[in-house]
Amino acid sequence: MPPLTHDRPAKLPFVVLVLAAGTFLMGTTEFVIAGLLPEIADDLQVSVSQAGLLITAFAAGMIVGTPVMAIATLRLPRRFTLVLALVVFSLGHVVAALSSSIALVLVARVVTALATGAFWCVGAVVAMTAAGPAGTSRALGLLLGGMTLANVAGVPLGSWLGQVSDWRGPFWVLAALSAGGAAVIGRFIPDEERSERRSVRAEFTALRQGRVWLVLSATALLLGGILATYTYISPLLTERAGIPTWGVPLVLTGYGLGALLGTTIGGRTGDRRPLATLITAAAASTVVLFSLVFLSTSPVATVVLVTVMGVTGFAAAPVLGALVMRFAGSAPTLASALASSASNVGIAIGSAVAGIALLSSLRQAGPPLVGAVAAALTLVPLTALALMRPTRATTTPPPPAAPHHVVEPGGRGAAIRTDPCGEATERSCS
C-alpha cells in the first residue's frame, strides 16, 4: 500500500510532548484506583466491590461523555478547552480527596472522566494538526504513549504513594500536577486561526463516511480483545502458568513496556503504510492470543506472549486514531471522540464476555480465547477498508497542516471523503 505521505519524517513539535504529559496524568488517574481499592473501601466504610464502582463510573463517563464533550466544546477555542479540561480535572481530584462520602467521590470520578474525554478528543486533533500529514500517527502514538507510560510508571507510583500515606495522597499529587499542566498548556499551545469555523452539522455529516465506521469497528474489536484478556491476566499468570504472586507486577511491567514499544512502532510505520500496519498488528495479535490459550501452562512462554501481546495490540492504536480523523475530513473532533468511546465499549463488552468464559469449563484459558476471536474478527473491517477504492479528487488538496481530504461533487455542503492513503489520487491502497 502506498504511504500516507511522501514527506520526510520531521521532529514532532514540542506541543505534542506537552499534550502527551497531559495524557500521562489522565491515564494514571484512570487506572491507579485499581491498586487502592482496599484502602478506599476501609476509609469510606464500603465494600471493595462498592469501591470498584469508582472504576465503572470513570469508564461510563468516558464512553458517554467523550462524544458529548466533543460537541459541547466544539465552538470553543481548542487551547481554552484543553486548559479548562485540566482545571476541571484538578478540581475533581480535590473534591475526591476532601470527600468522606462514596457518592461524592463517584460524582467526582464522573466529572473527571468528562474532563479526560474533552482533553483527549481535542488534544488528538491539536497534536495531529501540529504534526502535519507526515507525522499524524507518530503524534497520536506519542499521546497514547503517555497513557501507556501511566501504566508502567504512574500507576505503580500512585499505588505506592497511596499505601505509604493514604489513598488521598495520589489524588492531591494529580490535582497539583494537572493544575501546573493547565498553565503549561496555556503557554505552549498556539492560538487558532480566527478564520477557522467548526460546525456541529459538519461533525455529524462526517460520520456518514463508511470508512469511519469500519475504523471504529476495528478499534472496538482489537483493543477490546486485547484489554479483555488483560483484565483477567492475573488468574492466568498465577493459577494456570504457576507464576508466584510477587512476579505478577513484573510480568505486567513487561506488558506495559511492550505496549509502549508497540505505540512507538505503530506511530512510526503507520504514517507510511497504515493499512498494512493494522492488518499485520491484528493478525499478529490473533496468533499471540491463540498461542496464549495453548501455551499458558508454561511460565516462560506466558511471560513472552504477554509482553508481545502489548506490542502487537498497541501498535494498531495510533494508526486507528489517525485514520478515523483523516476519514472524517475537516470535521475530525467528534470522530476522535467516538474512537475513544469505541475502545471503551470494546473493553466493556469484551471484559464481560471474558468473565463469562473464565467461569466456564475453559477457566483461565477463556479470556485469551475471547481476545483471539475478537482480534481475528478485526480483519473483517480492515479487509473491507483495504478493498474500498479511493475517491476521485475534484478540488485542490488542503494545506499540509490539515488532514488530507478531497471534496466530492455536489456543491455546497458536499461530503468530505478521504482516501485510505490520505492522498487525493485515484490509485488503490490495496
Side-chain angles (χ1 to χ4, degrees):
M1 192 184 76
L4 284 166
T5 176
H6 298 290
D7 297 337
R8 196 183 190 114
K11 185 177 180 180
L12 291 175
F14 179 68
V15 295
V16 180
L17 184 61
V18 173
L19 292 169
T23 63
F24 170 80
L25 295 177
M26 294 182 176
T28 299
T29 201
E30 181 174 3
F31 299 111
V32 74
I33 289 290
L36 301 173
L37 286 182
E39 290 81 5
I40 294 173
D42 289 341
D43 186 57
L44 299 181
Q45 299 181 346
V46 296
S47 66
V48 173
S49 61
Q50 287 176 306
L53 292 175
L54 296 174
I55 299 174
T56 305
F58 194 96
M62 286 291 291
I63 291 172
V64 178
T66 303
V68 170
M69 293 305 296
I71 294 300
T73 62
L74 183 64
R75 294 183 179 177
L76 296 177
R78 285 175 178 151
R79 180 170 67 177
F80 176 79
T81 300
L82 293 171
V83 171
L84 180 62
L86 282 171
V87 169
V88 172
F89 184 85
S90 178
L91 292 176
H93 283 80
V94 170
V95 170
L98 292 174
S99 177
S100 59
S101 164
I102 185 66
L104 190 55
V105 180
L106 279 169
V107 172
R109 287 287 286 175
V110 172
V111 172
T112 302
L114 294 177
T116 300
F119 185 92
W120 171 255
C121 63
V122 175
V125 174
V126 171
M128 186 182 79
T129 303
T136 53
S137 291
R138 285 192 298 138
L140 292 178
L142 189 59
L143 261 64
L144 288 168
M147 297 283 281
T148 306
L149 188 61
N151 283 298
V152 177
V155 171
L157 285 173
S159 298
W160 171 80
L161 178 60
Q163 290 167 3
V164 299
S165 57
D166 62 33
W167 69 269
R168 302 172 194 272
F171 280 73
W172 285 115
V173 171
L174 286 166
L177 290 176
S178 52
V184 175
I185 289 286
R187 169 68 179 82
F188 288 102
I189 298 298
D191 287 324
E192 297 178 73
E193 295 292 335
R194 293 188 178 182
S195 60
E196 183 181 2
R197 293 183 179 180
R198 293 192 292 274
S199 163
V200 173
R201 181 179 179 182
E203 294 288 336
F204 282 100
T205 299
L207 299 183
R208 296 177 183 175
Q209 309 305 320
R211 292 184 179 92
V212 170
W213 293 102
L214 288 173
V215 176
L216 292 177
S217 299
T219 300
L221 286 167
L222 184 56
L223 296 182
I226 292 292
L227 291 172
T229 304
Y230 180 77
T231 299
Y232 296 100
I233 200 68
S234 184
L236 179 77
L237 296 175
T238 57
E239 298 174 27
R240 185 171 174 85
I243 294 173
T245 303
W246 59 263
V248 172
L250 297 177
V251 179
L252 297 184
T253 300
Y255 167 84
L257 292 173
L260 189 60
L261 176 61
T263 57
T264 303
I265 293 172
R268 290 186 176 277
T269 62
D271 285 314
R272 294 184 172 276
R273 298 196 174 273
L275 287 182
T277 300
L278 289 177
I279 291 172
T280 301
S285 296
T286 303
V287 172
V288 168
L289 289 167
F290 269 123
S291 299
L292 198 57
V293 173
F294 299 103
L295 301 179
S296 53
T297 53
S298 166
V300 174
T302 302
V303 171
V304 172
L305 288 170
V306 168
T307 302
V308 176
M309 180 179 74
V311 178
T312 59
F314 280 84
V319 191
L320 289 166
L323 281 185
V324 77
M325 286 194 287
R326 284 197 184 98
F327 294 159
S330 60
T333 306
L334 181 57
S336 171
L338 289 175
S340 175
S341 294
S343 63
N344 280 283
V345 168
I347 293 167
I349 296 175
S351 297
V353 177
I356 296 172
L358 182 66
L359 297 175
S360 72
S361 59
L362 293 169
R363 297 177 62 81
Q364 295 85 11
L369 180 59
V370 171
V373 172
L377 289 175
T378 306
L379 294 170
V380 176
L382 292 180
T383 301
L385 193 62
L387 294 176
M388 295 178 73
R389 295 188 62 81
T391 304
R392 181 187 299 253
T394 59
T395 62
T396 305
H404 285 232
H405 65 270
V406 294
V407 182
E408 290 185 354
R412 186 176 180 180
I416 302 297
R417 297 293 297 270
T418 308
D419 70 10
C421 300
E423 297 176 298
T425 69
E426 293 187 72
R427 68 177 180 272
S428 171
C429 284
S430 55

